[in-house]
Amino acid sequence: MTVRMNLLVAVSIAGAVLGLSGCKLKKNEATNAKASGQIEIFFDSSDFNADKVVSDIWVPKIEPFMHEKARPFGEVQSALARDAKAAGPEYGYSENPAQNPYSFIVKLDGKVLEANTKSRAAYLMIDTNADGKSDAKVQLGPVVRGTALRDVLPFIPFSAFKNQIEYANVGRALNAHVFDSKLSKLDRENLIGKQVHLTGAFVTPTTGAEILITPSDLTVTGGQ
């Protein structure tokens, strides 16, 4: 990432948190710069509020980005099945591909084959191609696992934060926000047989593992 891009990224997030007490942008000394020449910019704040960061940028930045960048689920699924290594840079995003897997933004329509709504880590199993088999597992929360939503957003890089704790808190805040604003409002009764339309993100699954999608938006319609 170039210096210019890093600056733009940091400023983008900073705009959401400048109202917080004690929050400021700080540039590392040149001796701390990465080998690539990029300049580290992070939040230096004793009261960093990840929930506020997320809520402030969700509507103006995150939602439009997710909808704009979403690719059809079937297209990404097929590309991963053909060549997962090639599918990553073509369809996904990773801040550091050498260390972290690619994440993908997808949109899908499908039929609910299974609905586990009793567990706190509730989920749906979705058939997206009408073959009677599940193609994706969709998280409903309130326990939402992983950091797919965070990791797929290039304007929320690790380098914009003071430390790993703040970065991890933003990941949790994103999951909590989508549950509170979207998933908690779903009618969870009688979901089997309903149609689901969603936009969301997932991380490259390990070989043979199911695709686990964290929605950023989800609606349920229809019936059997």
Side-chain angles (χ1 to χ4, degrees), residues 37-185:
Q38 83 176 39
I39 297 174
E40 289 290 330
I41 302 175
F42 55 84
F43 295 108
D44 183 13
S45 172
S46 60
D47 58 353
F48 177 77
N49 189 326
D51 293 321
K52 180 169 174 53
V53 171
V54 170
S55 64
D56 284 353
I57 66 174
W58 184 270
V59 171
K61 196 165 187 66
I62 294 175
E63 279 193 330
F65 183 86
M66 293 293 293
H67 285 286
E68 177 187 351
K69 298 299 183 181
R71 305 287 288 270
F73 174 78
E75 182 180 340
V76 178
Q77 181 190 37
S78 296
L80 284 167
R82 287 193 308 270
D83 186 343
K85 186 175 182 180
E90 181 175 358
Y91 292 93
Y93 170 77
S94 174
E95 182 181 359
N96 186 349
Q99 296 182 8
N100 303 317
Y102 280 89
S103 298
F104 303 87
I105 303 176
V106 293
K107 54 186 176 183
L108 69 79
D109 293 280
K111 182 178 180 179
V112 178
L113 298 183
E114 179 185 344
N116 179 341
T117 58
K118 303 303 181 184
S119 168
R120 284 182 56 77
Y123 63 84
L124 302 175
M125 303 302 292
I126 308 294
D127 175 11
T128 64
N129 56 10
D131 66 354
K133 300 178 182 179
S134 173
D135 300 297
K137 182 176 182 178
V138 178
Q139 302 198 81
L140 292 184
V143 174
V144 178
R145 305 188 190 281
T147 56
L149 287 179
R150 182 198 70 186
D151 296 344
V152 84
L153 299 173
F155 49 84
I156 303 184
F158 174 68
S159 57
F161 298 92
K162 180 179 179 180
N163 53 44
Q164 182 65 44
I165 294 174
E166 290 186 352
Y167 192 51
N169 285 342
V170 167
R172 285 190 287 270
L174 283 162
N175 291 348
H177 185 89
V178 76
F179 175 77
D180 292 341
S181 64
K182 307 284 184 178
L183 302 178
S184 66
K185 303 182 187 310

Side-chain angles (χ1 to χ4, degrees), residues 25-45:
L25 288 176
K26 180 178 180 181
K27 185 178 73 175
N28 281 3
E29 297 300 327
T31 54
N32 293 330
K34 293 187 176 181
S36 64
Q38 83 176 39
I39 297 174
E40 289 290 330
I41 302 175
F42 55 84
F43 295 108
D44 183 13
S45 172

Side-chain angles (χ1 to χ4, degrees), residues 168-203:
N169 285 342
V170 167
R172 285 190 287 270
L174 283 162
N175 291 348
H177 185 89
V178 76
F179 175 77
D180 292 341
S181 64
K182 307 284 184 178
L183 302 178
S184 66
K185 303 182 187 310
L186 294 174
D187 180 358
R188 298 190 172 213
E189 301 300 321
N190 304 310
L191 285 169
I192 295 177
K194 296 291 181 68
Q195 292 295 126
V196 166
H197 173 75
L198 69 83
T199 303
F202 69 90
V203 177

